Amino acid sequence: MNTSNLQNHHPLLLDYLRNNGYCISQIQWTQRCINLVLNEGSSPEIDSYEQLYWHEVQQRGYKEDARVRKSLKSVLGNVKRFDLEGIYPRHHLYHGFLAPPKPYDLLGGEYKTIIDYYVQTARSGEKVPHTIYTERQAGTVFLLYLQQSGALSIATVTERQVLDFFLTARTSSEAKRIKTRLFRY
């Protein structure tokens, strides 16, 4: 894992925490995670922050429900965002470290284009942002289902795949909400 950016810029992160009211324990945790990245992250078997996290959990023997494990995950996630994206931590901002990928990120290029076009078109109309967001999510889940059922292009979608989505929607509360949203108009 390349640690040179963090090596050069970690004092900025620590200064930011000190100047923005973070408690001493948060600053100490951040310093600990920075040291972990700089010392262990450069070893050949560590390729990512995620691998470093799991390596540290195993090495220290942290139990799954241990508070220290949650703190490590949170602070290491903040260090990762700062290092790779230049984003400083904010109180109560979910960083998504070790979170599953979002459905939109799993879509192929053509399906992403459809969703992006919908959002662009909807914004130029009279829909409120919350409605656009909800319908975007519904469309994303629907297209992801089609993609995962083998339709890698809109041209290859079959009637059976569409019907299967709505038939399985009876058992899934999320799919029921999507079905309601798709057929609202």
Side-chain angles (χ1 to χ4, degrees):
M1 186 166 96
N2 184 351
T3 60
S4 60
N5 184 53
L6 188 62
Q7 177 69 45
N8 295 329
H9 296 101
H10 76 274
L12 296 172
L13 175 57
L14 295 171
D15 286 343
Y16 172 85
L17 297 176
R18 285 185 201 102
N19 296 331
N20 285 280
Y22 283 82
C23 66
I24 192 71
S25 65
Q26 185 73 16
I27 296 169
Q28 289 171 340
W29 257 105
T30 303
Q31 181 65 62
R32 178 178 173 219
C33 285
I34 290 169
N35 291 340
L36 178 67
V37 172
L38 297 178
N39 295 330
E40 302 289 328
S42 58
S43 65
E45 63 271 3
I46 304 293
D47 293 328
S48 67
Y49 276 86
E50 291 77 11
Q51 280 184 336
L52 181 60
Y53 168 80
W54 290 112
H55 174 76
E56 184 71 0
V57 165
Q58 286 181 328
Q59 191 170 20
R60 301 241 183 223
Y62 294 146
K63 303 264 188 255
E64 187 170 342
D65 58 350
R67 287 182 56 117
V68 68
R69 187 166 161 174
K70 183 178 179 183
S71 295
L72 174 66
K73 185 166 136 179
S74 177
V75 177
L76 194 58
N78 286 334
V79 172
K80 175 187 176 186
R81 282 180 53 140
F82 174 77
D83 181 24
L84 301 181
E85 301 172 45
I87 298 173
Y88 287 94
R90 288 186 295 183
H91 293 288
H92 310 295
L93 174 69
Y94 181 69
H95 50 72
F97 185 63
L98 296 175
K102 295 179 180 169
Y104 177 83
D105 296 332
L106 298 173
L107 289 177
E110 182 179 340
Y111 289 145
K112 281 184 179 178
T113 301
I114 292 169
I115 295 297
D116 295 343
Y117 180 76
Y118 161 75
V119 170
Q120 181 183 8
T121 304
R123 284 184 180 153
S124 66
E126 295 182 11
K127 291 188 178 187
V128 296
H130 179 71
T131 299
I132 295 169
Y133 171 81
T134 303
E135 291 175 355
R136 177 190 184 273
Q137 295 301 98
T140 298
V141 171
F142 177 65
L143 293 175
L144 184 59
Y145 176 85
L146 295 176
Q147 178 178 294
Q148 290 174 339
S149 66
L152 301 179
S153 167
I154 202 74
T156 62
V157 174
T158 66
E159 181 180 359
R160 177 83 265 156
Q161 290 167 318
V162 174
L163 292 174
D164 284 347
F165 174 80
F166 292 105
L167 290 173
T168 57
R170 291 185 296 169
T171 60
S172 162
S173 61
E174 180 180 359
K176 284 180 187 178
R177 286 193 309 272
I178 292 166
K179 184 168 82 171
T180 302
R181 187 55 82 174
L182 285 173
F183 285 116
R184 193 166 110 189
Y185 302 102

